[in-house]
């Protein structure tokens, strides 16, 4: 069974940093592209970042480029999102989500809430 | 970036009725479009991928159609558990983008 479990969310002040983690199990993690997607309270879904299985291809949304960084450790079956220079508008539930070999995003974790506030 | 526009914003229907949701892309996404369902407090669930293919475990009452820039998600006969928010997403070009969502509510 595919499982994705996010952690690391919490309350952080504007300008602060946070590192999110996603523990993966039940599939070949190193062969799967992975995504971070976020959802601000009461709003729609916003795709944030993607990393290929080998980390050879990485893409960030313009809204987070230069502030957030996606990475992975295939030996630990873990995905990360390093978030720096956080702003109030980064407040959201952050989901990690798996891509199939056909680049379809299929399984999602339950999300971790990040709140940026003073 | 490719903008996806979903319509209507809200659809008020009764159980047993047919639901038709639209997603229009600002440029050609070929068939690289997916539909997700999201219920309150839950993660999104993949329903349809590559415009017309049902994901594993998705009931046959859900169907997708379209290609290029115009896509439709149809729920042939609404069940109580189908009242939720539905999002389309394209993976044709980076960055991947989502539509703003259509809420299907009980009339």
């Amino acid at each position: 069974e595919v499982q994705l479990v996010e952690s690391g969310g919490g309350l952080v002040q504007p300008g602060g940093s946070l590192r999110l983690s996603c523990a993966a199990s039940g599939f070949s993690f190193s062969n799967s592209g992975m995504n971070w997607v976020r959802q601000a309270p009461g709003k729609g879904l916003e795709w944030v970042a993607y990393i290929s299985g080998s980390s050879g291809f990485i893409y960030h949304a313009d809204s987070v480029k230069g502030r957030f960084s996606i990475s992975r450790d295939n030996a630990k079956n873990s995905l990360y999102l390093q978030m720096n220079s956080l702003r109030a508008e980064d407040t959201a539930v952050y989901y990690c989500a798996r891509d199939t070999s056909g680049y379809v995003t299929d399984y999602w974790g339950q999300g971790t809430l990040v709140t940026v506030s003073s | 970036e490719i903008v996806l526009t979903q319509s209507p914003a809200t659809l008020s229907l009764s159980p047993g009725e047919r639901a038709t949701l639209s997603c229009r892309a600002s440029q050609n996404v070929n068939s690289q479009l997916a539909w997700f369902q999201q219920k309150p407090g839950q993660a999104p669930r993949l329903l349809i991928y590559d415009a017309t293919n049902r994901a594993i475990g998705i009931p046959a009452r859900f169907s997708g159609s379209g290609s290029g820039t115009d896509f439709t998600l149809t729920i042939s006969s609404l069940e109580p558990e189908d009242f939720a928010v539905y999002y389309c997403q394209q993976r044709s070009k980076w960055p991947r983008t989502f539509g703003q969502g259509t809420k299907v509510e009980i009339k």
Side-chain angles (χ1 to χ4, degrees):
Chain A
E1 179 193 3
V2 173
Q3 285 203 328
L4 298 167
V5 179
E6 302 93 338
S7 61
L11 175 63
V12 60
Q13 291 190 339
S17 297
L18 214 53
R19 189 197 198 202
L20 305 183
S21 299
C22 173
S25 60
F27 64 100
S28 177
F29 182 72
S30 62
N31 289 328
S32 298
M34 298 293 297
N35 302 269
W36 287 102
V37 177
R38 68 183 179 182
Q39 187 170 36
K43 303 296 184 182
L45 301 170
E46 179 188 12
W47 176 83
V48 172
Y50 170 87
I51 185 169
S52 64
S54 64
S55 302
F57 180 80
I58 289 173
Y59 201 99
H60 296 89
D62 284 348
S63 58
V64 306
K65 204 169 286 184
R67 300 188 300 121
F68 291 12
S69 180
I70 189 172
S71 63
R72 64 192 296 157
D73 185 335
N74 287 342
K76 294 183 178 179
N77 282 358
S78 293
L79 175 73
Y80 306 104
L81 186 67
Q82 178 65 44
M83 304 187 296
N84 300 328
S85 303
L86 282 159
R87 306 166 180 167
E89 55 265 35
D90 296 319
T91 294
V93 173
Y94 285 74
Y95 296 99
C96 68
R98 181 191 83 158
D99 266 18
T100 67
S101 58
Y103 303 98
V104 171
T105 304
D106 59 354
Y107 285 96
W108 299 59
Q110 283 305 301
T112 187
L113 176 63
V114 172
T115 303
V116 184
S117 174
S118 54
Chain B
E1 75 176 39
I2 295 176
V3 176
L4 299 178
T5 302
Q6 292 186 239
S7 62
T10 303
L11 203 49
S12 298
L13 295 168
S14 300
E17 289 193 294
R18 182 183 189 89
T20 304
L21 288 67
S22 174
C23 176
R24 177 163 290 178
S26 61
Q27 55 185 280
N28 186 2
V29 299
N30 299 298
S31 295
Q32 294 178 358
L33 187 110
W35 290 93
F36 295 89
Q37 176 194 67
Q38 188 179 34
K39 297 178 182 178
Q42 296 186 16
R45 178 174 72 143
L46 176 67
L47 298 176
I48 301 288
Y49 66 95
D50 292 348
T52 62
N53 299 296
R54 268 191 306 277
I56 296 171
I58 301 303
R61 63 181 182 273
F62 291 92
S63 64
S65 63
S67 64
T69 60
D70 288 301
F71 301 87
T72 301
L73 173 69
T74 302
I75 310 171
S76 59
S77 177
L78 283 164
E79 296 288 339
E81 62 267 27
D82 299 337
F83 293 92
V85 180
Y86 293 82
Y87 295 94
C88 57
Q89 184 217 29
Q90 66 81 23
R91 61 177 180 84
S92 175
K93 287 191 171 66
W94 299 98
R96 292 177 174 179
T97 49
F98 290 91
Q100 81 280 17
T102 290
K103 182 179 182 180
V104 178
E105 64 177 24
I106 300 176
K107 188 174 182 179

